[in-house]
Structure formats: C-alpha cells, structure tokens
Amino acid sequence: MVKILLVEDEPAMQLGLKDNLELDGYTVSIASDGEEGLAAIKKESFHLILLDVMLPKLSGFDVCKSARAAGIRTPIILLTARGEEIDKVLGLELGADDYITKPFSVRELLARVKAILRRSQANPTDNPQDKIQIGRLSIDFSLFQASENGEEIKLSHKEMEVLQYLFKNKNQIVSRYQLLENVWGYEEQITTRTVDNFIVRLRQKTEVNPNQPKIILTVHGTGYKMVI
Ligand code: CA
C-alpha cells in the first residue's frame, strides 16, 4: 500500500487530488495547513508528500526545510503557483525533489507521482554497489544516507540520484542532457543550468576543495565525468 500525504489548504484541490490519487490505488492522508502537515510527517511514514507552498500557519518551504532537518527523506513534490520561478529554485534547494506548477493537469501530477515513487522504491538489489565512497562521503544508496567520518551529511533525494547516476557511469562523460533525461526525466522547465547548480552543491559536499574538483569533473561544452 503506497501512502501519500497531501498538504493542501484549498478544499476543492484536496478533494480532487485525493479522489484521483485514490482511483490510482494510493492511500491518501490530508493535512490542511503547514503545522498539521509537519506534525503528520513527523508522526507517520509516507512514501510521498505532495506539499502546497502557500499554506496557512507554516509555508510549504518551512515544512520541507523542517522535515529535512529532522532527517525525514520522504520524497516531496511541491505544488507551486504559476510563474514563481524563485519558489522552484528555493524549493529544490530546501530539499524538495520536484515541483509542479498550478494549474496542472491531474494526468501530469499522476505521472510525476509515479516517476518519483518508481525511483525512490527502485529495488536496492538492482545495484550491487549500494555502499560506496565518493570523495569525502560514504554513501549508502539503498538507505539514501550519506556520511562523512561517521557524521550524517544531508543530501536531497535528487542529489543522491545525481550522484548515483554519475557513479553508474563513472569514468565516462555524462552530458547535462543525459542527467536531465535520466534524473529529472520529464520536466521541461528544468534547464541545464539547474544541473550545473546541482553539481556545484554536490561538490561542496563531496570534494576536499570544491573549487578544484577531483571527483566530479567538468567536461567543457559537454557535461561531467565522475572519476573514481
Ligand atoms: Ca494554498
């Protein structure tokens, strides 16, 4: 049974999304404001969280940030308002895995939900090398956990996926478009710049000297190469 938490304050959206998700076989819990949402996230475990940004009491960003700070790694899709470019960037930086802009079609949302769940529930035995060392980080891909000298380092779901993809293709050039297609998958609004920004952040977590990377190298005009 796949459990989804929907944090949304508009009753019509709540009902519409709940119905459609349930028709697709998901079990849906609802929280109507940010505080209620965060409490539910801390209390129960879900497979996925759909999180509206504009919420009473606590914004979706705050909920996302607090959940990640509490070590909760459940994939989060933010529901943002149209054209709020800053929201998207901020949301991803705060640890959300994806966002969808209102108004969206139910079909599109369901496709995103499916894609995120597929990735987060991918059978860990698919990859025999679940536990690896990337630069300063020890990573366990099966648990989606990273640590440095025994201390936990927080990586977003997406950051893990980028690392995992680069690792699977280690010592080969991976283009930005390959990363976009294989990690983000479907999102036309995500640009190659998003990829570059992600890499900059990842280097800060993996490289001894992020300004002189030795692990995730830039291949000018093409993309990146993980050297391990
Ligand atoms: Ca709202």
Side-chain angles (χ1 to χ4, degrees):
M1 190 201 298
V2 177
K3 286 166 66 186
I4 296 180
L5 174 67
L6 170 63
V7 190
E8 166 67 62
D9 58 317
E10 288 158 52
M13 281 284 277
Q14 277 181 3
L15 281 179
L17 290 179
K18 187 173 193 282
D19 281 355
N20 279 288
L21 288 163
E22 285 178 348
L23 273 176
D24 258 31
Y26 302 111
T27 300
V28 182
S29 301
I30 287 185
S32 302
D33 64 54
E35 277 178 11
E36 204 184 305
L38 187 59
I41 292 168
K42 287 184 171 171
K43 194 168 134 228
E44 259 182 85
S45 70
F46 298 95
H47 295 89
L48 177 74
I49 299 161
L50 295 173
L51 181 58
D52 187 26
V53 171
M54 297 291 286
L55 285 169
K57 295 187 184 171
L58 208 56
S59 80
F61 291 147
D62 293 330
V63 172
C64 185
K65 208 167 129 187
S66 303
R68 293 303 185 230
I72 292 155
R73 282 188 178 56
T74 311
I76 294 177
I77 301 179
L78 287 176
L79 313 177
T80 71
R82 179 192 279 278
E84 291 177 17
E85 203 64 37
I86 286 173
D87 281 8
K88 295 166 191 166
V89 175
L90 186 62
L92 296 174
E93 280 174 359
L94 291 177
D97 297 274
D98 199 1
Y99 58 83
I100 187 163
T101 309
K102 291 178 178 179
F104 49 78
S105 74
V106 167
R107 216 176 125 214
E108 193 188 354
L109 179 76
L110 291 174
R112 302 278 185 103
V113 165
K114 214 170 276 178
I116 293 260
L117 287 171
R118 194 177 55 230
R119 289 201 300 261
S120 65
Q121 298 182 319
N123 187 347
T125 56
D126 282 350
N127 181 0
Q129 272 183 295
D130 283 335
K131 290 183 188 170
I132 57 157
Q133 187 76 27
I134 296 179
R136 289 154 41 199
L137 294 183
S138 306
I139 297 184
D140 186 335
F141 285 125
S142 65
L143 298 172
F144 267 74
Q145 281 177 353
S147 60
E148 181 181 351
N149 300 325
E151 258 189 42
E152 197 183 346
I153 303 288
K154 297 202 188 310
L155 293 183
S156 72
H157 204 73
K158 198 67 85 182
E159 287 173 325
M160 280 280 185
E161 285 182 328
V162 170
L163 281 178
Q164 196 165 25
Y165 188 78
L166 288 173
F167 182 75
K168 274 186 191 157
N169 297 282
K170 59 181 179 282
N171 303 316
Q172 298 170 45
I173 297 173
V174 172
S175 73
R176 291 177 178 82
Y177 293 101
Q178 252 174 293
L179 277 171
L180 279 177
E181 202 180 312
N182 289 284
V183 177
W184 280 268
Y186 34 76
E187 175 51 77
E188 73 284 357
Q189 287 157 308
I190 296 265
T191 65
T192 52
R193 236 187 116 157
T194 314
V195 175
D196 294 337
N197 291 338
F198 255 84
I199 298 292
V200 168
R201 276 210 300 283
L202 278 177
R203 280 178 178 151
Q204 284 161 1
K205 294 176 179 173
T206 56
E207 302 278 350
V208 174
N209 178 356
N211 295 322
Q212 291 183 337
K214 299 264 190 286
I215 298 147
I216 306 176
L217 307 183
T218 299
V219 181
H220 283 288
T222 312
Y224 298 96
K225 180 158 93 170
M226 181 178 276
V227 179
I228 286 186

